[in-house]
Amino acid sequence: MTTMGDDAANRLARRKRVQFLKKLIIFILVMAILIPTILCIVLGVQLHHVRKELRELQTQIKETAVIYSEDVVPTAEADGEYTEEYEISGMDEFIDDLTGEADENGTEKAEEDTNIRKVYLTFDDGPSNNTERILDILAEYDVKATFFVVGKEEEKYQTLYKRIADEGHTLGMHSYSHKYDEIYQSVDSYGQDLNKLQEFLYEKTGVYCSICRFPGGSSNTVSKVDMHELITYLDEQDITYFDWNISSGDASSSYISTETILENCLTKLPQYKECIILMHDASNKNTTVEALPMLIEQIQAMENTIIVPITEDTEPIQHIRND
Ligand code: ZN
C-alpha cells in the first residue's frame, strides 16, 4: 500500500512539474512575440514623429534656400553660373537623405554634390595641322581649353596663335624649340628658350603668357638641370607651371585608338575634383582630334562637371614642386 501511495504521489508531482514547464514555455513564447511587437509599435511611433519633424524642417530649409538663391544671383552670375544651382540641388538631396526619401544612392549623390568637378582640356605642342580642327570642335561645343604651344615659324601656323587667344582659350607656354637636349642644358638655356617664346607669343597675339608646362612635365627624367632650379627660376619670373593628373596617352609614339584615348581620360575622371587632361595638338595625332567630340560629350554628361580653361586662379597640378 505504501509503495502504491508513493507511486501515485510521484506521478502527481511529475505531472505538476510537466504542467509548470508547459506554462513556462508558453509564457516565454508569448513574451518572445509580445516584446518585439511592443518595441516595434513604440519605435514606429517615434519614427513617425521624427519624420514629421524632418518634413517641417525641410519646408523651412527650402524656404531659406529660395531666399538665399535670390540673394546670390548677381554673385553667382559673376563667378560663373553654377554656384546657385548647386547650392539648391545639394540641399534637396541632403534633405531627402534625412527624410529617407532618397534612392539607395542618395548619400553618394549628396557627397558628389558638395563640389563641382572642373575638367581642363590641355593641348601640348601646337600649333599643328590639327589645330584648326581642334578649335572648330571646341567652338561647336562652346568649350574653352588650354594650349601649351611651341614656337613654329612656318607661315601656315602664324594666324593660329591669335585664333587660339581670340576664341577665348588660354594660351600657355610649352617651349620655343621643344628640344630637350637644348632647353634642359642649364637654367640659362631654359630661361632663354622660354623668354623667346613669351616674346614671340606677345608679338603674335598681344597676350603676355604667365603659365607654362615643362616639356615632359616637371617630373621628366631627361633634364640635365635639377628641375627644382627651373621651378625656382619660374617662381622668380612669376610664371606658374601646370602638369596633369590624367594623360590621354596620345604622347606614345605608337598608334593609339580613339577608344583607348577616351578610356584613358574617362576612367580616371571620377577620381578627381580638378582634372587636368594631357593631350597633344600635333599633325600626327589624328585620333586625339577624332576622340575629342565624344570626350567632350561624355564629360558634359557627367553630373556637376564643367569644362573650363586654366586661368591664373587655377590651382595648379604639379608633379614636383619646391616647398
Ligand atoms: Zn611637348
Side-chain angles (χ1 to χ4, degrees), residues 124-125 174 178 180 215-216 280:
D124 285 11
D125 300 354
H174 196 32
H178 204 267
Y180 286 42
H280 288 82

Side-chain angles (χ1 to χ4, degrees), residues 118-120 122 146 170 211 240-243 274-276 308-318:
K118 288 180 183 164
V119 180
Y120 305 88
T122 68
T146 305
T170 298
I211 68 159
T240 311
Y241 65 100
F242 289 80
D243 288 312
E274 305 266 316
C275 308
I276 300 193
V308 285
I310 287 175
T311 67
E312 282 170 8
D313 300 326
T314 305
E315 185 64 37
I317 283 168
Q318 298 171 331

Side-chain angles (χ1 to χ4, degrees), residues 1-17:
M1 280 300 282
T2 321
T3 333
M4 276 180 67
D6 284 351
D7 278 356
N10 279 342
R11 274 205 298 277
L12 192 67
R14 209 166 72 198
R15 204 175 297 145
K16 275 186 176 170
R17 273 206 308 276

Side-chain angles (χ1 to χ4, degrees), residues 78-253:
D79 288 346
E81 52 217 272
Y82 301 93
T83 326
E84 177 203 358
E85 197 187 329
Y86 146 67
E87 290 290 354
I88 293 172
S89 74
M91 196 173 291
D92 278 352
E93 269 153 21
F94 172 69
I95 293 160
D96 284 346
D97 264 14
L98 289 177
T99 49
E101 286 164 12
D103 57 34
E104 28 180 30
N105 298 322
T107 317
E108 253 176 61
K109 274 190 195 161
E111 277 168 14
E112 279 172 19
D113 280 352
T114 53
N115 259 318
I116 297 283
R117 175 179 293 105
K118 288 180 183 164
V119 180
Y120 305 88
L121 305 177
T122 68
F123 297 92
D124 285 11
D125 300 354
S128 76
N129 291 340
N130 275 323
T131 309
E132 293 198 287
R133 285 172 71 199
I134 292 172
L135 288 171
D136 289 347
I137 293 167
L138 294 173
E140 194 184 323
Y141 287 93
D142 195 19
V143 160
K144 306 298 178 208
T146 305
F147 290 78
F148 291 103
V149 296
V150 300
K152 293 251 174 108
E153 282 160 13
E154 293 102 308
E155 190 53 44
K156 60 180 175 178
Y157 297 136
Q158 298 317 302
T159 52
L160 291 174
Y161 296 103
K162 193 154 192 327
R163 185 175 163 197
I164 290 171
D166 284 352
E167 294 187 5
H169 306 291
T170 298
L171 200 58
M173 298 177 285
H174 196 32
S175 156
Y176 190 90
S177 73
H178 204 267
K179 290 179 183 153
Y180 286 42
D181 53 348
E182 287 176 14
I183 56 173
Y184 288 141
Q185 280 286 343
S186 64
V187 175
D188 267 0
S189 55
Y190 177 81
Q192 277 168 22
D193 174 273
L194 200 67
N195 213 323
K196 188 174 175 186
L197 180 62
Q198 200 173 35
E199 279 169 17
F200 175 81
L201 293 176
Y202 183 72
E203 246 174 58
K204 298 283 169 207
T205 65
V207 176
Y208 202 71
C209 285
S210 60
I211 68 159
C212 79
R213 171 172 287 157
F214 289 110
S218 65
S219 56
N220 80 82
T221 51
V222 293
S223 177
K224 293 194 181 82
V225 202
D226 184 348
M227 289 304 291
H228 293 281
E229 286 181 39
L230 298 185
I231 291 167
T232 305
Y233 170 79
L234 290 182
D235 284 345
E236 287 163 5
Q237 306 293 312
D238 243 347
I239 295 172
T240 311
Y241 65 100
F242 289 80
D243 288 312
W244 57 90
N245 52 2
I246 297 178
S247 171
S248 67
D250 70 351
S252 98
S253 50

